[in-house]
Amino acid sequence: MEETKIYGYMRVSSREQNEDRQRIALLEMGVPEKNIFMDKLSGKDFVRPQYKKLLRKLDDHSVLYVKSIDRLGRNYTDLNEQWRIITKEHKADIVVIDMPILDTRREKNLLGTFISDIVLALLSFVAENERTNIRQRQAEGIAAAKAKGVKFGRPPLPIPDNFYQVHKDWRAGKISMEEAGRRCNMSAKTFYCKAIKYEKST
């Protein structure tokens, strides 16, 4: 009988700092370090290099561990489709550590599969709904801040003291735009933008 191969999958976004928690949880479940695959990407889709690499290794003698369902994905439709691909096409088992009922090794009968499918559908819906709510709250927060006069993005560079003389020399054809930018300690493009803005204001 072929030995069971144990794998783990982790996903962190660039803003998240929970990589260690996921790794510790996977190691505690007996996943070998070399069999842990991690993507540093959002969960909006499954265009992920390490996930695709992992998928190619899964077969009917594999068990895949993830700490929580949102580490696998947050898009309701895609998440359910990938679950089907892993369990039906690759015939591998999945264990969601934070949700023991989502363990396809248990209750291989029709009722067990039915319960797992319902729980998966519910959790993936909640995961996607939360992602939608986060985006909405961010948009509302930005709109409210803008209404209060809060400005986003980098503050504009202050105009150096020599800008007006440099601008005059540049317009007189004495120096190039690149040289004008260097004298003002800014790029040629930035100098040009500030020059046009200055000319419109005078």
Side-chain angles (χ1 to χ4, degrees):
M1 186 175 178
E2 190 173 336
E3 185 179 350
T4 300
K5 292 167 289 188
I6 301 174
Y7 296 97
Y9 180 70
M10 300 165 48
R11 182 187 61 76
V12 292
S13 73
S14 57
R15 292 174 296 179
E16 293 174 318
Q17 302 296 324
N18 62 351
E19 177 182 331
D20 289 342
R21 289 192 294 112
Q22 291 183 68
R23 191 178 298 278
I24 290 169
L26 294 172
L27 292 173
E28 286 179 346
M29 299 304 291
V31 181
E33 180 79 40
K34 64 183 178 67
N35 286 356
I36 295 177
F37 294 77
M38 182 182 76
D39 283 304
K40 285 195 173 184
L41 294 164
S42 75
K44 66 179 182 179
D45 57 43
F46 283 85
V47 184
R48 312 175 203 160
Q50 288 300 305
Y51 176 76
K52 288 183 176 181
K53 185 177 178 182
L54 165 65
L55 206 57
R56 290 194 292 270
K57 293 181 176 292
L58 298 179
D59 58 26
D60 57 350
H61 295 286
S62 305
V63 178
L64 171 61
Y65 285 88
V66 293
K67 188 175 188 303
S68 58
I69 196 66
D70 66 336
R71 296 304 89 196
L72 189 58
R74 283 181 172 155
N75 180 291
Y76 175 76
T77 304
D78 288 349
L79 181 54
N80 280 275
E81 174 63 9
Q82 292 301 314
W83 187 278
R84 184 195 66 78
I85 289 171
I86 293 169
T87 59
K88 302 295 193 296
E89 293 186 13
H90 292 267
K91 301 188 186 307
D93 281 309
I94 305 179
V95 178
V96 179
I97 299 171
D98 287 353
M99 185 61 61
I101 196 171
L102 287 179
D103 181 345
T104 60
R105 300 171 303 176
R106 301 173 54 196
E107 303 294 339
K108 291 284 188 178
N109 57 33
L110 186 62
L111 178 60
T113 302
F114 177 67
I115 292 173
S116 289
D117 287 348
I118 289 176
V119 174
L120 171 65
L122 177 61
L123 289 177
S124 54
F125 171 78
V126 169
E128 179 172 359
N129 193 54
E130 176 60 18
R131 189 166 66 93
T132 301
N133 287 340
I134 289 172
R135 285 202 307 266
Q136 183 177 343
R137 287 196 294 270
Q138 287 174 338
E140 289 172 351
I142 291 170
K146 284 183 176 178
K148 291 180 179 178
V150 176
K151 295 188 182 297
F152 292 86
R154 292 180 180 178
L157 290 171
I159 293 178
D161 294 338
N162 66 337
F163 175 81
Y164 304 104
Q165 183 59 49
V166 171
H167 172 266
K168 186 177 179 180
D169 291 344
W170 170 64
R171 278 303 186 195
K174 295 179 181 179
I175 58 173
S176 67
M177 187 164 63
E178 287 72 20
E179 177 60 25
R182 278 195 293 273
R183 291 188 183 184
C184 292
N185 197 27
M186 62 181 67
S187 69
K189 183 180 178 182
T190 300
F191 173 81
Y192 180 76
C193 290
K194 288 188 177 296
I196 296 301
K197 188 174 181 181
Y198 164 65
E199 290 168 5
K200 286 181 177 179
S201 66
T202 57

